[in-house]
Amino acid sequence: DVQLQASGGGLVQAGGSLRLSCAASGFTFNNYGIGWLRQAPGKEREEISCISSSGGSTSYADSVKGRFTISRDNAKNTVYLQMNSLKPEDTAPYYCAVKGTYYCSGYFIYWGQGTLVTVSS
């Protein structure tokens, strides 16, 4: 079975940092792009970042560009999201998900359980 376990969320003050991890199993990890999504209450789900299977290509939503950095370790089947300069509007549960291709195009085909990030002002 495909499993995606996100961790690293928590409560942080505005301007602070958190590092999220997504540990994956049950599929050939280095064959797929992996992304992070979030959905704050009352807002639409937002794809905030993605990394290609090799790690050679990344993408970011405008809302996090310059503050968040995605990376992956294919030897550990893990994707990371370093979040700096956090803002209260970053508050949301964060989910990692698997793209259906090597790249960051197309749809997500698997989602994991979220990890909650709360940024206080």
Side-chain angles (χ1 to χ4, degrees):
D1 291 351
V2 172
Q3 293 192 6
L4 297 163
Q5 183 62 56
S7 62
L11 174 64
V12 64
Q13 289 187 332
S17 298
L18 285 173
R19 188 194 195 203
L20 305 185
S21 298
C22 173
S25 62
F27 64 102
T28 306
F29 182 78
N30 59 2
N31 278 358
Y32 295 93
I34 306 290
W36 287 94
L37 308 95
R38 67 187 182 187
Q39 186 167 15
K43 295 187 178 181
E44 292 188 357
R45 187 175 64 192
E46 179 184 22
E47 178 181 335
I48 58 172
S49 188
C50 184
I51 187 166
S52 64
S53 59
S54 68
S57 177
T58 58
S59 63
Y60 299 92
D62 288 344
S63 58
V64 306
K65 198 172 293 182
R67 300 187 297 123
F68 291 10
T69 302
I70 192 170
S71 61
R72 66 190 292 162
D73 185 338
N74 284 348
K76 295 182 178 179
N77 283 13
T78 301
V79 172
Y80 305 97
L81 186 69
Q82 178 67 42
M83 306 187 297
N84 299 329
S85 302
L86 282 161
K87 304 175 181 180
E89 51 264 43
D90 293 319
T91 295
Y94 283 67
Y95 305 88
C96 55
V98 183
K99 288 282 189 179
T101 73
Y102 290 98
Y103 307 107
C104 287
S105 57
Y107 299 100
F108 290 107
I109 57 174
Y110 302 117
W111 292 262
Q113 296 295 319
T115 185
L116 181 62
V117 172
T118 304
V119 185
S120 63
S121 58

